[in-house]
Amino acid sequence: MTAATYAPARRAPRHQPDTRRERSAAHPTLRVVPRAHTRRAPRRRRLFLTVMTTVSFLCLIGVAAMQVVITQGQFELARLHRQAADNQARYDRLRLEVAELESPAVVVATAQRRLGMVPPPRVVYLAPPAARPGAGAANAVSPGTVTTRGTQDQASGPTDWSRLKPHLAER
């Protein structure tokens, strides 16, 4: 078999203006850009878009993570509120129980049942006796007070009690 050889295809010639004046008159703002600049622009654009997409994605992940943290904090706060309400209710119940146990009826019943105490047949109230009208101020000593004279009497003590004993014996 014989291979056919073809002549390489020729490109159509580009139309190039003949003169510079004709070039600038046709398109005054257009200019020829070197190939190196045309290749960098899409790379930079792709890089910029990639970086911006990555930053946006990371921001969205950060926002979602913060929402999770906030939600967990709200659950913890709700749990603590429930626990505080339960503890407050328990405290109120215990205060009521203490008040009931401190009532006089419960105290008397407990004293009779556990300790075997009985109520007295009659109640007697004691009052201190009045001072004698004929006694002088030097002889009148009220109960519970001790008079002392000088440091020698303070140390001796029995002399004070000896003066006080006759008054206590009368009662």
Side-chain angles (χ1 to χ4, degrees):
M1 287 193 78
T2 55
T5 58
Y6 296 106
R10 290 169 80 210
R11 292 186 187 176
R14 287 187 186 174
H15 175 70
Q16 293 184 356
D18 294 336
T19 64
R20 219 169 181 192
R21 182 182 297 162
E22 186 180 325
R23 216 181 316 162
S24 64
H27 301 287
T29 58
L30 297 179
R31 63 184 174 86
V32 176
V33 178
R35 281 214 182 255
H37 290 295
T38 58
R39 288 184 184 152
R40 279 190 219 149
R43 280 188 202 163
R44 285 184 184 169
R45 194 174 306 132
R46 274 193 307 253
L47 179 64
F48 177 75
L49 288 175
T50 303
V51 167
M52 290 309 292
T53 302
T54 305
V55 167
S56 300
F57 183 71
L58 291 176
C59 286
L60 289 175
I61 288 176
V63 167
M66 290 305 297
Q67 288 294 329
V68 167
V69 169
I70 289 171
T71 304
Q72 287 175 344
Q74 288 174 339
F75 281 128
E76 180 69 15
L77 187 62
R79 184 187 65 79
L80 290 174
H81 278 292
R82 277 193 312 273
Q83 184 180 359
D86 292 344
N87 287 339
Q88 183 65 38
R90 181 174 178 260
Y91 173 76
D92 291 340
R93 280 192 314 271
L94 291 175
R95 291 289 295 173
L96 178 64
E97 186 179 332
V98 166
E100 288 172 351
L101 291 175
E102 287 179 343
S103 70
V106 173
V107 170
V108 169
T110 303
Q112 288 175 349
R113 187 178 58 242
R114 287 189 188 168
L115 301 175
M117 296 179 136
V118 294
R122 71 182 177 108
V123 178
V124 178
Y125 295 98
L126 302 175
R132 289 182 287 167
N139 292 336
V141 177
S142 63
T145 60
V146 177
T147 59
T148 59
R149 294 183 198 163
T151 57
Q152 184 180 5
D153 288 343
Q154 286 177 358
S156 63
T159 56
D160 295 332
W161 285 108
S162 63
R163 275 192 285 150
L164 193 61
K165 275 185 177 181
H167 298 287
L168 294 174
E170 292 175 3
R171 296 185 191 138

